[in-house]
Amino acid sequence: MELKGLGFVPLLLAFWCAAWLATSYIVTVVLGHAASPLMHISDVGNFFPENILLRIGFIGTSIGTLVLTFLIYKYMVMHTEEFRGHQVLIQRILLAIVWASCFATAVMHVLSPEEYPRIHFVSMVISITCEALYYLGQSIQMYKLPGANKVIHHSRCTCCGLAFACAIFYFGYKTLQELFYDDEDWDEIREITTIIIEWVMLLLILINIVTYYSTMQRLMLTVSRNSCKSLLE
């Protein structure tokens, strides 16, 4: 069996992530489980049944991310015969970074933030920062490929750069405010700022995932009884 063009993988991943998150958000607001429509992504899953939707959504997203990033790894390694040595090492490091992000995401949603607040926060830092770092590093590597579509790669690099900057600012700002300010006005400003940054960061990552459509369309998967091979068209 042959699958010609795997562009559906990033599209399906982006659609899945947007669909379950929108559904969870709507259920949370409709059932009155949110004090305000403006809330953190993690606040979407504080109550039943949206907490189940949130866990299923993140598990599916993690699996989809593992599949997509492995296909990107295969694409990068197979793209040119000159892709050897330190370039392969860079790809393996990037793959390890994003898989660490997926593992941290799983830990974050297995352990309750109420019972394990520090572990939950550290897992969230690793999850978001590693994912943003991976896509930024991968976009830079793809930009170097011969014959690369510069418009797509410029868009990808811009989205990834902004997402990574948001991740750094998000955790830095939140940590500094907790350390140096104990004021209700500052708490409100901090919450609103971090919520906006969090949702913007997610949107940028989703846009970046969609940009891999044209890249994955060039990848073909051949499946037989004894093997599974990926080839460039």
Side-chain angles (χ1 to χ4, degrees):
M1 181 181 69
E2 288 185 353
L3 290 176
K4 294 185 177 181
L6 300 179
F8 67 90
V9 175
L11 293 182
L12 185 61
L13 176 58
F15 174 78
W16 166 264
C17 187
W20 68 256
L21 191 56
T23 303
S24 302
Y25 178 85
I26 292 171
V27 171
T28 301
V29 174
V30 170
L31 294 180
H33 291 165
S36 167
L38 189 63
M39 56 183 153
H40 289 285
I41 295 174
S42 57
D43 291 339
V44 172
N46 285 338
F47 300 95
F48 180 85
E50 59 268 24
N51 58 349
I52 303 300
L53 292 173
L54 192 73
R55 283 181 172 83
I56 293 174
F58 268 113
I59 291 172
T61 300
S62 296
I63 294 173
T65 301
L66 291 174
V67 173
L68 175 61
T69 53
F70 182 74
L71 290 175
I72 294 172
Y73 167 78
K74 296 293 288 184
Y75 172 87
M76 293 295 286
V77 172
M78 293 187 303
H79 190 271
T80 172
E81 293 180 357
E82 298 176 359
F83 211 78
R84 295 293 183 268
H86 71 285
Q87 294 288 359
V88 174
L89 178 60
I90 290 174
Q91 285 302 310
R92 289 174 179 172
I93 292 173
L94 288 173
L95 194 64
I97 288 173
V98 74
W99 284 18
S101 171
C102 293
F103 177 77
T105 300
V107 171
M108 180 174 62
H109 290 281
V110 168
L111 300 180
S112 169
E114 289 78 17
E115 297 179 8
Y116 306 93
R118 291 189 180 275
I119 296 177
H120 183 85
F121 180 74
V122 171
S123 299
M124 182 171 62
V125 172
I126 294 173
S127 173
I128 296 176
T129 305
C130 284
E131 185 169 5
L133 181 61
Y134 166 79
Y135 282 117
L136 177 61
Q138 195 63 270
S139 64
I140 294 173
Q141 290 299 306
M142 283 193 164
Y143 188 84
K144 298 176 182 178
L145 292 179
N149 187 317
K150 298 305 180 183
V151 175
I152 292 178
H153 288 289
H154 279 141
S155 302
R156 187 179 292 157
C157 287
T158 301
C159 286
C160 293
L162 289 174
F164 186 68
C166 284
I168 298 300
F169 185 82
Y170 175 87
F171 294 115
Y173 183 77
K174 192 168 183 177
T175 301
L176 287 175
Q177 292 298 320
E178 289 179 353
L179 288 175
F180 297 106
Y181 295 99
D182 187 19
D183 185 275
E184 290 185 0
D185 293 334
W186 275 110
D187 286 342
E188 185 177 356
I189 293 173
R190 182 189 67 212
E191 283 300 299
I192 294 174
T193 303
T194 52
I195 287 171
I196 293 173
I197 292 174
E198 191 174 304
W199 285 94
V200 169
M201 185 164 44
L202 175 65
L203 178 62
L204 289 169
I205 290 176
L206 288 180
I207 294 173
N208 172 69
I209 290 173
V210 172
T211 64
Y212 283 95
Y213 169 79
S214 58
T215 301
M216 290 296 97
Q217 274 298 93
R218 299 188 57 198
L219 202 60
M220 179 176 65
L221 190 67
T222 303
V223 181
S224 64
R225 292 183 61 183
N226 300 319
S227 64
C228 179
K229 297 180 180 180
S230 51
L231 304 169
L232 280 177
E233 291 185 326

